[in-house]
């Protein structure tokens, strides 16, 4: 049967106390709303309608790569009213209503919901759960097996408050029935809103098939209204993602301290130490060791490499390369195989060949470094003249001595040597030695004389 999805995201998220609407707050690197929209894609939704408010431009921006239809709800008169604002966009088949603030629902649960709904030829099926803390959720009212309504927390009698089966906010309906019953909703309740939940009572009273599909995992239903729930959801997602990779053969030391974004890909026999954050679309090959405290965003890391106590952004690292401790690789760094990027080394927008060593305390930016180059301690690629950035090239097998400055634009040829302390301002030809520093002069006995003068 044709499946449509409607996502309710027009609420003003006051309880977040934030300049940013709740749908854009990230959970492990991804805005909340994208989880819900991606779910509609997984389910094969023919048409997905997102209900938004008049401040939702940033939400649309965050979803600009998605094929969606938007409907405006202004003012916001409740969840039932939100559905009314978008229902004309839908035709035939069934309509799944999802809450834009509840990103934890699993695909399997929704597939089961579709199956149960279609098998029972139901008019409406609500996804429910027996919740350990039903506070603030709508309660499912039953008469035996029959579902006769949902009562919002604020409207419950003391007896109804004892019901633990709650409304997830996810509904699956026959689209024509939805259109038929929406106009019958009233706003006669504690909040003076049109509740979508009242559809159950109306339809059940008319003898239509109204069912509740009970799932067992209450964490799937957490809705984000405030930052505390944002944390709850983050913990749920973090656990799910980490558990998935553990099962796929990744070792994690203290997984609770490891944060892996939803779109990261790992390989078997990767080891991750505490305090590590893997962000964006990072891809990690086999036998890589990350952390402790590796922060890696949108990078590709080759087999057998290590990153310890370092930050690496938008860069590519080859195989068997060691980064850190305390290195900073900025965007655009492409590092080869068997390379060492040691302590207090900063790289930016630079290509580094295989077997090259940059062991300590260097800045290597805007350049190209060949294979098997040694960059000594304290080398600086002087790339900035105050106005523009310039390029430095160091060819294969060159040796750059400690504390050298390479003032760009400049190049050092194949196999050339740059003496320690040299400031290179002109091209160094292949196999040459460049020395550019004041010749040392020794004054014998000088210090002795000075010390004697000081004592007198
Ligand atoms: C809602 C349900 C409650 C359920 C809970 C599950 C109703 C009346 N209550 O309560 O039974 O247990 O979700 O999390 O449906 N929205 C709009 N327009 C509006 C109002 C809300 O688009 O006018 C959107 C919100 O942005 C949000 C969703 O609908 O994404 C749910 O609204 P919210 O106010 O969070 O409802 P709850 O109080 O959580
Ligand atoms: Ca909510």
């Amino acid at each position: 049967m044709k499946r449509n999805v409607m996502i309710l995201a027009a609420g003003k998220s006051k309880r977040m106390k934030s300049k940013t609407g709740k749908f854009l707050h990230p959970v492990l690197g991804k805005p909340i709303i994208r989880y819900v929209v991606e779910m509609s894609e997984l389910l094969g939704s023919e048409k997905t309608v997102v209900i938004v408010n008049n401040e939702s431009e940033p939400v649309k921006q965050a979803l600009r790569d998605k094929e969606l239809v938007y409907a405006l709800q202004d003012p916001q008169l409740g969840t039932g009213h939100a559905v009314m604002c978008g229902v004309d966009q839908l035709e035939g088949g069934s309509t799944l209503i999802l809450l834009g603030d509840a990103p934890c629902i699993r695909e399997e649960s929704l597939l089961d919901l579709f199956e149960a709904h279609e098998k029972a030829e139901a008019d409406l099926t609500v996804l429910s759960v027996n919740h350990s803390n039903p506070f603030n959720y709508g309660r499912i009212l039953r008469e035996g097996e029959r579902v006769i309504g949902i009562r919002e927390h604020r409207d419950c009698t003391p007896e109804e408050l004892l019901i633990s089966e709650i409304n997830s906010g996810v509904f699956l309906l026959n689209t024509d029935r939805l259109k038929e019953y929406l106009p019958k909703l009233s706003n006669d309740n504690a909040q003076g809103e049109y509740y979508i939940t009242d559809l159950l009572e109306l339809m059940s009273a008319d003898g239509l098939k109204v069912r509740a599909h009970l799932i067992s995992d209450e964490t799937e239903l957490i809705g984000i209204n405030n930052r505390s729930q944002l944390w709850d959801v983050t913990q749920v997602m973090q656990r799910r993602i980490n558990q998935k990779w553990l099962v796929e053969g990744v070792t994690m030391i203290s997984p609770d301290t490891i944060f892996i974004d939803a779109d990261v890909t790992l390989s078997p026999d990767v080891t991750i130490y505490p305090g590590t954050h893997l962000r964006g679309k990072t891809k990690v090959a086999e036998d890589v060791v990350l952390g402790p405290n590796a922060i890696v965003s949108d990078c590709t890391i080759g087999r057998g490499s290590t990153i310890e106590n370092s930050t690496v952004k938008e860069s590519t690292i080859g195989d068997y390369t060691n980064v850190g401790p305390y290195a900073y690789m900025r965007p655009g760094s492409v590092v080869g195989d068997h390379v060492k990027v040691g302590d207090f080394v900063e790289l930016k927008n630079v290509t580094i060949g295989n077997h090259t060593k940059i062991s300590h305390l260097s800045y290597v930016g805007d350049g190209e470094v060949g294979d098997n180059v040694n960059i000594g301690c304290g080398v600086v690629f002087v790339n900035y003249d105050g106005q523009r950035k310039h390029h430095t090239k160091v060819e294969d097998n060159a040796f750059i001595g400690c504390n050298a400055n390479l003032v760009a634009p400049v190049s050092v040829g194949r196999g050339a040597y740059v003496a320690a302390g040299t400031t290179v301002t002109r091209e160094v030809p292949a196999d040459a030695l460049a020395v550019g520093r004041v010749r040392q002069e020794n004054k014998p006995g000088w210090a002795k004389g000075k010390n004697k003068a000081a004592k007198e």
Side-chain angles (χ1 to χ4, degrees), residues 435-452:
V435 197
R437 61 188 185 216
V438 177
R439 191 175 288 274
Q440 181 176 336
E441 186 189 338
N442 289 339
K443 300 190 173 173
W446 180 90
K448 237 178 173 178
K450 183 177 181 242
N451 290 342
K452 203 173 149 207

Side-chain angles (χ1 to χ4, degrees), residues 1-5 43-45 94-97 107-120 125 127 171-173 213:
M1 206 207 274
K2 176 170 150 187
R3 292 172 180 177
N4 303 298
V5 174
L43 296 169
S45 169
S94 55
T95 296
L96 177 71
I97 298 174
E107 186 189 1
E108 304 88 83
S109 302
L110 293 175
L111 289 175
D112 287 351
L113 171 68
F114 271 106
E115 200 187 303
H117 179 79
E118 283 164 16
K119 208 165 142 198
T125 308
L127 199 70
F171 301 92
L172 183 55
L173 299 102
H213 182 72

Side-chain angles (χ1 to χ4, degrees), residues 9 55 62 88-89 113 200 248 252 291 300 302 325 352 361 377 397 425:
E55 292 165 9
D88 288 344
Q89 308 277 355
L113 171 68
L200 275 86
E248 292 293 326
M252 291 186 204
T300 303
I352 311 282
L361 298 156
C377 180
N397 304 321
T425 54

Side-chain angles (χ1 to χ4, degrees), residues 378-405:
V379 169
V380 174
F381 280 32
V382 184
N383 61 335
Y384 187 48
D385 62 10
Q387 262 137 18
R388 286 191 301 140
K389 301 286 170 68
H390 300 281
H391 192 84
T392 299
K393 184 170 185 187
V394 178
E395 292 184 9
D396 297 350
N397 304 321
F399 182 100
I400 314 296
C402 291
N403 246 17
N405 300 310

Side-chain angles (χ1 to χ4, degrees), residues 15 22 79 99 101-102 136-137 168 221-225 229:
R15 289 171 276 182
K22 64 178 166 183
T79 49
L99 302 184
D101 66 354
N136 251 336
Y137 287 100
S168 66
L221 307 188
I222 308 172
I224 300 173
N225 298 317
Q229 287 163 328

Side-chain angles (χ1 to χ4, degrees), residues 16 21-27 30-37 99-103 224 230 233:
M16 286 301 272
K22 64 178 166 183
F23 304 105
L24 292 182
H25 279 259
V27 169
K30 196 189 291 202
I32 292 163
I33 188 77
R34 282 189 75 91
Y35 284 93
V36 184
V37 168
L99 302 184
D101 66 354
I224 300 173
L230 182 64
V233 164

